[in-house]
Coordinates of all heavy atoms in Angstrom, one line a residue:
I45 N 0.8 -1.2 0.0 CA 0.0 0.0 0.0 C 0.9 1.3 0.0 O 0.5 2.2 -0.7 CB -1.0 0.0 1.2 CG1 -2.1 -1.0 0.9 CG2 -1.5 1.4 1.5 CD1 -3.1 -1.2 2.0
E46 N 2.0 1.2 0.7 CA 2.9 2.4 0.7 C 3.4 2.6 -0.7 O 3.6 3.7 -1.2 CB 4.0 2.2 1.7 CG 3.6 2.2 3.2 CD 3.1 3.6 3.6 OE1 3.3 4.6 2.9 OE2 2.5 3.7 4.8
T47 N 3.7 1.5 -1.4 CA 4.2 1.6 -2.8 C 3.1 2.2 -3.7 O 3.3 3.0 -4.6 CB 4.6 0.2 -3.3 OG1 5.7 -0.2 -2.5 CG2 5.1 0.3 -4.7
M48 N 1.8 1.7 -3.5 CA 0.7 2.2 -4.3 C 0.5 3.7 -4.0 O 0.3 4.5 -5.0 CB -0.6 1.5 -3.8 CG -0.7 0.1 -4.3 SD -2.3 -0.6 -3.7 CE -2.1 -2.3 -4.2
L49 N 0.7 4.1 -2.8 CA 0.6 5.6 -2.5 C 1.6 6.4 -3.3 O 1.3 7.4 -3.9 CB 0.7 5.8 -1.0 CG 0.8 7.2 -0.5 CD1 -0.5 7.9 -0.8 CD2 1.1 7.3 1.0
E50 N 2.8 5.9 -3.3 CA 3.9 6.6 -3.9 C 3.7 6.7 -5.4 O 3.9 7.7 -6.1 CB 5.3 5.9 -3.7 CG 6.5 6.6 -4.3 CD 7.7 5.8 -4.0 OE1 7.7 4.9 -3.2 OE2 8.8 6.2 -4.6
L51 N 3.3 5.6 -6.0 CA 3.1 5.5 -7.5 C 1.8 6.3 -7.9 O 1.8 7.0 -8.9 CB 2.9 4.1 -7.9 CG 4.2 3.2 -7.8 CD1 3.9 1.8 -8.2 CD2 5.3 3.8 -8.7
T52 N 0.8 6.3 -7.1 CA -0.4 7.1 -7.4 C -0.1 8.6 -7.3 O -0.6 9.4 -8.1 CB -1.6 6.7 -6.4 OG1 -1.9 5.3 -6.5 CG2 -2.8 7.5 -6.7
D53 N 0.7 9.0 -6.3 CA 1.1 10.3 -6.1 C 1.9 10.8 -7.4 O 1.6 11.8 -7.9 CB 2.0 10.5 -4.9 CG 2.5 11.9 -4.7 OD1 1.8 12.7 -4.1 OD2 3.6 12.2 -5.2
H54 N 2.8 9.9 -7.8 CA 3.6 10.2 -9.0 C 2.7 10.4 -10.3 O 2.9 11.3 -11.1 CB 4.6 9.1 -9.3 CG 5.4 9.3 -10.5 ND1 6.4 10.3 -10.7 CD2 5.3 8.7 -11.7 CE1 6.9 10.2 -11.9 NE2 6.2 9.3 -12.6
Y55 N 1.7 9.5 -10.4 CA 0.8 9.5 -11.6 C 0.1 10.9 -11.6 O 0.2 11.6 -12.7 CB -0.3 8.4 -11.6 CG -1.3 8.7 -12.6 CD1 -1.1 8.4 -13.9 CD2 -2.5 9.4 -12.2 CE1 -2.0 8.8 -14.9 CE2 -3.4 9.8 -13.2 CZ -3.2 9.5 -14.5 OH -4.1 9.8 -15.5
W56 N -0.5 11.3 -10.5 CA -1.3 12.5 -10.6 C -0.4 13.8 -10.8 O -0.7 14.7 -11.5 CB -2.1 12.7 -9.3 CG -3.3 11.8 -9.3 CD1 -3.6 10.7 -8.5 CD2 -4.4 11.9 -10.2 NE1 -4.8 10.2 -8.8 CE2 -5.3 10.9 -9.8 CE3 -4.8 12.8 -11.2 CZ2 -6.6 10.7 -10.5 CZ3 -6.0 12.6 -11.9 CH2 -6.9 11.6 -11.5
R57 N 0.8 13.8 -10.1 CA 1.7 14.9 -10.3 C 2.1 15.0 -11.8 O 2.3 16.1 -12.3 CB 2.9 14.8 -9.4 CG 2.5 15.1 -7.9 CD 3.8 14.9 -7.0 NE 3.5 15.0 -5.6 CZ 3.6 16.2 -4.9 NH1 4.0 17.2 -5.5 NH2 3.3 16.2 -3.7
H58 N 2.4 13.9 -12.4 CA 2.9 13.9 -13.7 C 1.7 14.3 -14.7 O 2.0 15.1 -15.6 CB 3.3 12.4 -14.1 CG 3.8 12.3 -15.5 ND1 5.1 12.8 -15.9 CD2 3.2 11.8 -16.6 CE1 5.2 12.5 -17.2 NE2 4.2 12.0 -17.7
W59 N 0.5 13.9 -14.4 CA -0.6 14.3 -15.2 C -0.8 15.8 -15.1 O -1.0 16.5 -16.1 CB -1.9 13.6 -14.8 CG -3.1 13.8 -15.7 CD1 -3.3 13.3 -16.9 CD2 -4.2 14.7 -15.4 NE1 -4.5 13.7 -17.4 CE2 -5.1 14.6 -16.5 CE3 -4.5 15.6 -14.4 CZ2 -6.2 15.4 -16.6 CZ3 -5.7 16.3 -14.5 CH2 -6.5 16.2 -15.6
V60 N -0.8 16.3 -13.9 CA -1.0 17.8 -13.7 C 0.1 18.6 -14.4 O -0.1 19.7 -15.0 CB -1.1 18.1 -12.2 CG1 -1.0 19.6 -12.0 CG2 -2.4 17.6 -11.7
R61 N 1.3 18.0 -14.4 CA 2.5 18.7 -15.0 C 2.3 19.0 -16.5 O 2.8 19.9 -17.0 CB 3.7 17.9 -14.8 CG 5.0 18.5 -15.2 CD 6.2 17.6 -14.7 NE 7.5 18.2 -15.1 CZ 8.1 17.8 -16.2 NH1 7.6 16.9 -17.0 NH2 9.3 18.3 -16.5
G62 N 1.4 18.2 -17.1 CA 1.2 18.4 -18.5 C 0.0 19.3 -18.9 O -0.2 19.6 -20.0
L63 N -0.6 19.9 -17.8 CA -1.7 20.9 -18.1 C -1.2 22.3 -18.4 O -0.2 22.8 -17.7 CB -2.6 20.9 -16.8 CG -3.3 19.7 -16.4 CD1 -4.1 19.9 -15.2 CD2 -4.1 19.1 -17.5
A64 N -1.8 22.9 -19.4 CA -1.4 24.3 -19.7 C -2.3 25.2 -18.9 O -3.4 25.7 -19.4 CB -1.6 24.5 -21.2
T65 N -2.0 25.5 -17.7 CA -2.8 26.3 -16.8 C -2.7 27.7 -17.1 O -1.6 28.2 -17.5 CB -2.5 26.0 -15.3 OG1 -1.2 26.2 -15.1 CG2 -2.8 24.5 -15.0
P66 N -3.7 28.6 -16.8 CA -3.5 30.0 -16.8 C -2.6 30.5 -15.7 O -2.3 29.7 -14.7 CB -4.9 30.5 -16.6 CG -5.6 29.5 -15.9 CD -5.0 28.2 -16.3
M67 N -2.1 31.7 -15.8 CA -1.2 32.2 -14.8 C -1.9 32.4 -13.4 O -1.4 32.1 -12.4 CB -0.6 33.5 -15.2 CG 0.7 33.9 -14.4 SD 0.3 34.8 -12.9 CE -0.3 36.4 -13.5
E68 N -3.1 32.9 -13.4 CA -3.9 33.1 -12.2 C -4.8 31.9 -11.9 O -5.2 31.2 -12.8 CB -4.7 34.4 -12.4 CG -3.9 35.7 -12.5 CD -4.8 36.9 -12.5 OE1 -5.3 37.3 -13.6 OE2 -5.1 37.5 -11.4
W69 N -5.1 31.8 -10.7 CA -6.1 30.8 -10.2 C -5.7 29.4 -10.5 O -6.5 28.5 -10.8 CB -7.5 31.1 -10.8 CG -8.0 32.5 -10.5 CD1 -8.2 33.0 -9.3 CD2 -8.3 33.5 -11.4 NE1 -8.7 34.3 -9.4 CE2 -8.7 34.6 -10.7 CE3 -8.3 33.6 -12.8 CZ2 -9.1 35.8 -11.3 CZ3 -8.6 34.7 -13.5 CH2 -9.1 35.8 -12.7
Q70 N -4.4 29.1 -10.5 CA -3.9 27.8 -10.9 C -4.4 26.7 -9.9 O -4.8 25.6 -10.4 CB -2.4 27.8 -10.9 CG -1.8 28.5 -12.0 CD -0.3 28.4 -12.0 OE1 0.3 27.3 -12.1 NE2 0.4 29.6 -11.9
D71 N -4.5 27.0 -8.6 CA -5.0 26.0 -7.7 C -6.4 25.6 -8.0 O -6.8 24.4 -8.0 CB -4.9 26.5 -6.3 CG -3.5 26.6 -5.7 OD1 -2.6 26.0 -6.4 OD2 -3.2 27.2 -4.7
A72 N -7.2 26.6 -8.3 CA -8.6 26.3 -8.6 C -8.8 25.5 -9.9 O -9.6 24.5 -10.0 CB -9.4 27.6 -8.8
V73 N -8.0 25.8 -10.9 CA -8.0 25.1 -12.2 C -7.5 23.7 -12.1 O -8.2 22.7 -12.6 CB -7.2 25.9 -13.3 CG1 -7.0 25.0 -14.5 CG2 -7.9 27.2 -13.6
I74 N -6.5 23.5 -11.3 CA -5.9 22.1 -11.2 C -6.9 21.2 -10.4 O -7.1 20.1 -10.8 CB -4.5 22.2 -10.5 CG1 -3.5 22.8 -11.4 CG2 -4.1 20.8 -10.0 CD1 -2.2 23.1 -10.8
R75 N -7.5 21.8 -9.4 CA -8.4 21.0 -8.6 C -9.6 20.6 -9.4 O -10.1 19.5 -9.4 CB -8.8 21.7 -7.3 CG -9.6 20.9 -6.3 CD -9.0 19.6 -6.0 NE -7.6 19.6 -5.6 CZ -6.8 18.5 -5.6 NH1 -7.3 17.4 -6.1 NH2 -5.6 18.6 -5.3
A76 N -10.1 21.6 -10.2 CA -11.3 21.3 -11.1 C -10.9 20.2 -12.1 O -11.7 19.3 -12.5 CB -11.8 22.6 -11.7
A77 N -9.7 20.4 -12.7 CA -9.3 19.4 -13.7 C -9.1 18.0 -13.2 O -9.5 17.0 -13.9 CB -7.9 19.9 -14.3
I78 N -8.6 17.8 -12.0 CA -8.4 16.5 -11.4 C -9.8 15.9 -11.2 O -10.1 14.7 -11.5 CB -7.6 16.6 -10.1 CG1 -6.2 16.9 -10.4 CG2 -7.7 15.2 -9.4 CD1 -5.3 17.1 -9.2
A79 N -10.8 16.7 -10.7 CA -12.1 16.2 -10.5 C -12.8 15.8 -11.8 O -13.5 14.8 -11.8 CB -12.9 17.3 -9.7
L80 N -12.6 16.6 -12.8 CA -13.2 16.2 -14.1 C -12.5 14.9 -14.6 O -13.2 14.1 -15.2 CB -12.9 17.3 -15.1 CG -13.8 18.6 -15.0 CD1 -13.4 19.6 -16.0 CD2 -15.3 18.3 -15.0
K81 N -11.2 14.8 -14.4 CA -10.6 13.5 -14.8 C -11.2 12.3 -14.2 O -11.4 11.3 -14.9 CB -9.1 13.7 -14.5 CG -8.3 12.4 -14.7 CD -8.0 12.1 -16.2 CE -7.1 10.9 -16.3 NZ -7.0 10.4 -17.7
I82 N -11.4 12.4 -12.9 CA -12.0 11.2 -12.2 C -13.4 11.0 -12.5 O -14.0 10.0 -12.1 CB -11.7 11.2 -10.7 CG1 -12.4 12.3 -10.0 CG2 -10.2 11.2 -10.4 CD1 -12.2 12.2 -8.4
C83 N -14.1 11.9 -13.2 CA -15.5 11.7 -13.6 C -15.5 10.9 -14.9 O -16.6 10.6 -15.4 CB -16.2 13.1 -13.8 SG -16.7 13.9 -12.3
Q84 N -14.4 10.6 -15.5 CA -14.3 9.8 -16.7 C -14.2 8.3 -16.3 O -13.4 7.9 -15.5 CB -13.2 10.2 -17.6 CG -13.1 9.3 -18.9 CD -12.2 9.9 -20.0 OE1 -11.0 10.0 -19.7 NE2 -12.8 10.1 -21.1
H85 N -15.0 7.5 -16.9 CA -14.9 6.0 -16.7 C -14.0 5.5 -17.8 O -14.3 5.4 -19.0 CB -16.3 5.3 -16.9 CG -16.2 3.9 -16.6 ND1 -16.0 3.4 -15.3 CD2 -16.4 2.8 -17.4 CE1 -16.0 2.0 -15.4 NE2 -16.3 1.7 -16.6
E86 N -12.7 5.3 -17.5 CA -11.7 5.2 -18.5 C -11.8 3.9 -19.3 O -11.4 3.9 -20.5 CB -10.3 5.1 -17.8 CG -9.1 5.2 -18.7 CD -7.8 5.4 -18.0 OE1 -7.4 4.5 -17.3 OE2 -7.3 6.5 -18.1
E87 N -12.4 2.9 -18.8 CA -12.6 1.7 -19.6 C -13.3 1.9 -20.9 O -13.0 1.3 -21.9 CB -13.4 0.7 -18.7 CG -13.7 -0.7 -19.4 CD -14.5 -1.6 -18.6 OE1 -14.9 -1.2 -17.5 OE2 -14.7 -2.7 -19.0

C-alpha cells in the first residue's frame, strides 16, 4: 500500500504537470481538472 501511495502520487503529479494552466487561479483550475478527470470512466 505504501508503494501504491507513492506511485499514485507520481501519476497525478505527472498528469497535472502536462496541463497548460492560466497564470492566475492555478490551484482552482488544477483541482477542477483533477475532479473532471476522475469523472471519466476510463474503460
Side-chain angles (χ1 to χ4, degrees):
I45 285 178
E46 294 291 348
T47 300
M48 288 179 184
L49 175 63
E50 180 181 351
L51 293 174
T52 301
D53 178 89
H54 175 76
Y55 167 82
W56 284 113
R57 288 177 184 266
H58 182 75
W59 186 79
V60 168
R61 188 170 177 266
L63 299 179
T65 58
M67 195 278 287
E68 294 184 272
W69 304 298
Q70 289 182 60
D71 288 344
V73 169
I74 289 169
R75 189 48 52 200
I78 290 174
L80 288 179
K81 172 72 172 172
I82 66 175
C83 283
Q84 181 167 58
H85 185 68
E86 190 169 69
E87 181 181 2

